[in-house]
Amino acid sequence: MLFCFCSVFVYGQNVPVRGKVLDDTNQPLPGVSVMVKGTRVGTTTDINGDFTIPVARQQTLVFTSVGMTTREVVYTGQGSVNVTLHPGNRELDEVVIIGYQTVKKADLTGAVSVFNPSEMKNTIVTGSVGEALRTLPGVNVRTSGAPGSEGKVEIRGTGTFGNSNPLYVVDGIVSGANRDFNFNDIESIQVLKDASAAAIYGSRAGNGVIIITTKQGKEGAMKIDAASRLTSQWLPKYNLTDRNQWIQFNDLAFSNGNRPPANHFEGNTDWQEEVFKTGIVQDHNLSLSGGTKDNRYFISGNYQGNTGTTIGSKSERLSFRVNTSSTRKFSENVVFRIGENLMLSDYQVDELNSNPIVDVYRMLPTIPIFNPDNAARGGYGYGEGNRDVTFGTNPFAREDFENTNNGNLRIRGNAFSELELYKSFKYRFNFGFDLSNDRHKYLRKEGYWTYNQPYDPSSLNKNQAQFRGLVFDNTLEYNKKFGAHDISAVFGTSYQTSRYEQIWGTKNDVLVSSGRYFDNLDAALSNPKTGNYQDLEKLFSVFGRINYNFDERYLLSFTMRRDESSKFNPDFRVGYFPSVSGGWRISKEEFFHVPWIDDLKLRANYGILGTSNIGVWDWVSFINVFPQAVFGADENVTGMTQVRLANSDLKWEKLTQFNAGLDMTMVANRLNLSLDYFDKETKDVLTPMQILMVTGNNGGNPFVNAATLQNTGIELSLSWRDKIGAELGYNIDFNGSYIKNKIKELGYGRTEFTQWNTKSIVGQPIGEWYLIKTGGIFQTAEEVQRHVNSAGQRIQPNAQPGDIKYIDYNDDGQITDADRQHLGSTIPKFQLGGNIGFDYKGFDLQVQFTGAFGFKSFNGPRSGFDRFDDNSNYRADYDPWTAENPGAKDPRPIYADSRNVRGDQDRWLENGSYLRIRQLALGYNVPKKLLKNVFSSMRFSVNAQNLITFSSYTGLDPEFLNGSIWERSYDSGNFPNPKGITFGAQLSF
């Protein structure tokens, strides 16, 4: 009995076992998780793939690593355990966050795009997070290069007339991911595009949802990551005339206008050379992470500074993030977790007061930056009445005499507690908070920056605002497998409240000492004014989702959310937002025998989402306290008057969306394909209803639920990953999308809506170009006489040879606004993006490209410097018509005459299509054998941004940002995206 007992004791005793883990090319795999199955005993492989773990005979070791097939090995007493892991299907095994839950991408029934974390190492983001999402299908991103500006992200087209920004969810809490967000902290990004994926967010998900997960600490010794990037940026330039050529063109314009040549300044200024500059963007990041299996932490700090590419602007950001989590296992069936995520950011921006992109061509090369003749008015040069008249703004003067500074101190994050019971039930309480303090200062000094400018006294305005947002989420999650049946469900409630309060004051005649203006309101002497207002908003929601999976073949999901919002009348505050989706994995069926297809899934869904694109009090009528009544001496009575009409019957905008798609993996998991078709329709679109001011309504047009919009489209995503030999790996990722926008109804009998040079007509997309078409240049007087309508009337009787010929579209014998005709779309029909990557012996090369096709852009700056009726700079390659140059490309210039430069003609309407090499990055990872045991990794990289663009558009940037949905492709001198080169270094130890 003693012998048997000792034998059993020795047989079950844990002994330290060593081993090594390799990949299929016999290279060591660091960071592989090695666990004793059924226990909490585990370790990870070191930099050489080696590990040591205590294990008893007949116990099973489980080897797992991201992107590799999991392997199990039974320990039978061998001296060492050496295993080889092979690449798995990363696409299908990838975990996707879909709102309050995570699922494997293989089990998705909705349309979700994932920004690959591996792309982040080569992605340069100097503004908001949206810049990184350009290569995802169905996601349109437009940005501006001005410091402090934020990009515009639009998912699957425009489904509203109001705010079309998507909802951002950071670590489970609804929050912004704007310019104060540190991109280096991001672990993953998911974009929820259809109703099935986004319905869990109900009334705020109509424009899509972007879910951001930040980095968390991982088990192991403290890991220190340091990264530093330095970017040099510069702007493209116009091809403008110098002093001599400008005078030549200007004298010709005056001559054609029957005027003597103008007097000219003695200056010789290249305004682009003076105003544009090389900008430097610094981004330095430091993070510390680590912990045990039950207690983990992550801490990061970041500094970003942007000097700007023009005078008058710069920005700085400091941010700090910390998160910790702790786990206590009371038994095999009871696990308790608690943690928090806290982010602090301080963002400062010196805002532009001028538009330097316009100023550099509105100012004349003959005008000097500084003019002693204007010493009494500030000392800067600008146009005058007796020589070189221009109303252009001297940007140096304006940036000197106007200072605008904005700052934001923000604290946001969440704290959570979680109780897991029997590995099936999980209750989670999540408290989120977003606290910010906004600071605004505007100082107007005494001085002049343009011709004929009236006197403005010095003034100081200060504005402070506070925002407090709180979120209380309670969720109960259930996960259980019953043989071939797999059920997961989540139910919960969410209560969100926010309060925004703003107070401001302004005074004139600011005190000055030795040329320095005081920036305190007490130091201003006259005309004090103050103001204050407060907004309060509340949202209470109940939601749930049930996912059912049978034998990994049949997938079904149902989601419902009920929202109640204070932004609507109590009778209309409640909205219901359901969705249902299903999937069929054909490749799991017994009858499916296609060897080159590894996985094939069909999916479809339908659901309702909501938007509430109105202000907090738009359903309430406004009154003011301005009127006073006088009943006698010292008997002034203050009255109240309703000045704005309101619609108390406002309802949710409701977006119904159908999505059908397929996901396919082929050729030994090397090729992945996703194809989606969607049809989304937004009803009850909130739009301002025009009401005559004679009714007494002077507080703006009230909102009504009137319009219906539709967006249909197709999205395709392809990715190929493979190796050539043992060391050369490559990947090709490509996506394309087609989107068609249509107005189905404007409401209240309206059939069209006009905005400058665009029209929005029922049955057509939003904001189509409607311009007067031109037919070339008149070459002779006889040609002018022959330009008649069908009744023989001369259409342009005052035209002369060298003038523009306009098309009389309505055949009434004259050129008027009624002659505008449809000439193209402002919305791209096709978009594409992608990445091409290579890696070889520590080197990696990535090429990121984006493109948009099938739309027209109006070149506003060119219409400005092609004008001769009002002085500005001109195109250096302007080819003016003269009697000696009858084959000229451009009409004759005429000063103070608008016949050839009317702004509603198609001369400046251009093909806006483009294909851009967004980023070209080369990186090098120092071999681990050279780092020895001091560093775990070391990387150097160089990245070029926006250096190569294929486009026939002649403006500075075909990818400019215009925030108006009516004129989205009108280039009004919008700040272009800069070109840049970034040098970076990353170090881990």
Side-chain angles (χ1 to χ4, degrees), residues 43 45 47 118 196 202 582 854 932:
T43 185
T45 59
I47 193 172
S118 65
S196 171
K932 299 188 177 182

Side-chain angles (χ1 to χ4, degrees), residues 232-236 277-279 309 945 947 977-981:
S232 176
Q233 294 183 332
W234 64 95
L235 296 180
K277 64 179 184 177
T278 300
T309 51
Q945 304 108 46
L947 294 190
N977 290 284
K979 302 174 186 292
I981 296 180

Side-chain angles (χ1 to χ4, degrees), residues 11-33:
Y11 188 84
Q13 187 177 20
N14 288 343
V15 295
V17 174
R18 291 182 171 84
K20 185 184 236 8
V21 181
L22 305 173
D23 63 15
D24 55 0
T25 62
N26 292 322
Q27 296 297 313
L29 278 175
V32 176
S33 172

Side-chain angles (χ1 to χ4, degrees), residues 496-523:
Q496 180 172 345
T497 178
S498 64
R499 183 188 301 271
Y500 178 84
E501 183 173 7
Q502 186 180 118
I503 186 169
W504 60 269
T506 183
K507 293 175 75 175
N508 292 344
D509 299 321
V510 184
L511 290 176
V512 186
S513 176
S514 301
R516 176 183 174 271
Y517 283 76
F518 289 88
D519 59 359
N520 294 316
L521 286 171
D522 284 349

Side-chain angles (χ1 to χ4, degrees), residues 35-41 59-60 62 329 332 423:
M35 297 289 297
V36 178
K37 191 172 184 178
T39 73
R40 298 175 61 192
V41 178
Q59 285 188 313
T60 300
V62 182
K329 192 171 185 179
E332 288 296 324
K423 299 181 182 180

Side-chain angles (χ1 to χ4, degrees), residues 133-141 714-718 733-739 828-836 847-855 913-918 950 959:
L133 306 179
R134 302 177 193 267
T135 59
L136 298 182
V139 181
N140 178 259
V141 182
I714 298 174
E715 297 170 356
L716 172 66
S717 179
L718 287 167
D733 298 300
F734 171 85
N735 73 76
S737 60
Y738 165 79
I739 296 179
K829 289 183 173 61
F830 302 94
Q831 295 174 210
L832 62 85
N835 288 279
I836 301 174
V847 182
Q848 183 187 99
F849 59 91
T850 57
F853 307 90
F855 70 107
S913 301
Y914 66 89
L915 175 65
R916 166 167 284 175
I917 306 300
R918 167 68 49 190
F950 303 96
E959 201 178 11

Side-chain angles (χ1 to χ4, degrees), residues 312-324:
S313 66
K314 64 180 180 179
S315 66
E316 282 191 316
R317 182 188 70 201
L318 284 168
S319 65
F320 172 80
R321 178 182 290 275
V322 59
N323 63 63
T324 63

